[in-house]
Amino acid sequence: MVITAAMVGAETTREQTPHLPITAEEIAEDAVKCREAGAAMVHLHVRTPDGKPSQDAELFRAAIRAIRKRTDILIQTSTGGAVGMSVDERCGPLTLTGADRPDMATLTTGTVNFGPDVFWNPRPLVRDIAKRIRALGLKPEIECFDVGMIDEASILAKEGLVDLPAHYDFVLGVPGALTARVDALEFMIKSLPEGSTWTVAAVGRHQLPFVEHAAERGGNARVGLEDNIFVSKGVLAKGNWELVAEAAKRAKAKGRTLATPEEARKILRLT
């Protein structure tokens, strides 16, 4: 089972939790602990020094270098960024090459309500990002906030922009999008192209219970401060690593073994 740590995000703030890593060194320190706790990959956003969300390539470069200096954990960069960013802003990490190139990048295949805002992903924008990911030689993780986004990825595959089987991330519980329900998860699994792999990233109080649902169904899970700041009701997680440790415990209780980064590379078919 591949556990991914969504470490920073674009919405969580230091006012909500003092344990949110912001600087490259803070992110790297937490990533090391996540690796030790059982994570094989980090899902990476970055922030400016004052905590504002950013997709600046140099901030990504600094974080990636700091992480790779200290651990072998895989690095998946976001192309979602924050609501309101332009496509060029969102694709900042896709300009990194050579030793700074990420291992994977996300690709959201549809527009969705996101709390009071709209996460805007019209078809031309999605195809633009898909082409940039492909040009960099990366495998995308298809971010699915609803079932139709799975179908859209299949259309991208017919257009030669995504290879099948692919890897999908089911983001459940975002206000305005698909709720975190077991029947919704099972329908999404049944909707996947044959041979595909999947991760579930449930939001808020659903995060850790859905680690167990994923474990029972042969899938993978994403946890972290991007989507949830509590390790139990009312108790702040001391860092992403504590959420990873709890996810690892729950996965093992369901009979799953945890993938190393090298094993995750094979499971996800990364080059």
Side-chain angles (χ1 to χ4, degrees):
M1 183 172 183
V2 178
I3 294 180
T4 298
M7 305 184 67
V8 183
E11 304 291 330
T12 307
T13 67
R14 278 274 176 87
E15 286 69 36
Q16 294 169 316
T17 173
H19 306 296
L20 180 74
I22 289 178
T23 69
E25 286 304 314
E26 289 170 346
I27 291 170
E29 182 179 353
D30 201 339
V32 169
K33 293 179 180 178
C34 287
R35 171 74 172 92
E36 293 169 349
M41 182 160 64
V42 295
H43 168 74
L44 188 62
H45 288 249
V46 291
R47 303 289 182 97
T48 60
D50 61 357
K52 293 180 181 177
S54 175
Q55 290 288 106
D56 181 76
E58 293 310 311
L59 292 174
F60 272 102
R61 190 191 309 277
I64 290 170
R65 287 184 176 181
I67 293 169
R68 287 183 172 156
K69 183 178 179 180
R70 301 179 61 176
T71 179
D72 64 346
I73 200 164
L74 299 177
I75 300 173
Q76 175 197 90
T77 53
S78 170
T79 65
V83 170
M85 287 184 175
S86 70
V87 65
D88 286 334
E89 285 181 284
R90 288 169 57 173
C91 290
L94 299 183
T95 64
L96 300 176
T97 58
D100 299 325
R101 173 181 173 272
D103 298 292
M104 202 174 195
T106 61
L107 175 65
T108 304
T109 51
T111 296
V112 64
N113 288 327
F114 198 96
D117 300 308
V118 175
F119 184 24
W120 185 243
N121 293 289
R123 279 179 151 186
L125 182 148
V126 172
R127 279 149 180 77
D128 187 349
I129 296 177
K131 290 174 182 176
R132 298 187 197 207
I133 292 173
R134 199 167 186 81
L136 196 55
L138 296 181
K139 184 180 179 72
E141 177 180 83
I142 311 299
E143 304 290 294
C144 300
F145 293 75
D146 215 331
V147 183
M149 297 185 187
I150 297 174
D151 299 328
E152 188 67 13
S154 295
I155 295 172
L156 292 175
K158 291 178 181 178
E159 296 173 2
L161 297 175
V162 169
D163 292 327
L164 296 180
H167 178 67
Y168 299 77
D169 180 36
F170 305 145
V171 186
L172 303 178
V174 172
L178 188 60
T179 56
R181 303 192 319 268
V182 172
D183 63 324
L185 172 63
E186 291 180 341
F187 182 62
M188 294 182 89
I189 296 169
K190 291 176 182 177
S191 300
L192 291 177
E194 185 176 354
S196 295
T197 53
W198 58 273
T199 291
V200 63
V203 173
R205 63 185 176 84
H206 303 290
Q207 184 175 91
L208 292 170
F210 268 77
V211 172
E212 299 178 51
H213 297 318
E216 291 169 343
R217 291 160 177 79
N220 309 288
R222 181 178 109 175
V223 298
L225 297 176
E226 174 173 345
D227 303 319
N228 165 50
I229 61 175
F230 297 106
V231 71
S232 59
K233 187 174 182 179
V235 179
L236 289 175
K238 297 182 182 68
N240 289 284
W241 58 270
E242 191 169 22
L243 292 166
V244 171
E246 179 63 25
K249 182 176 73 174
R250 295 185 184 215
K252 290 175 181 177
K254 295 295 182 180
R256 301 293 298 276
T257 57
L258 305 181
T260 65
E262 196 54 41
E263 289 167 339
R265 189 177 293 279
K266 295 176 182 176
I267 292 167
L268 303 178
R269 305 179 191 89
L270 306 184
T271 56

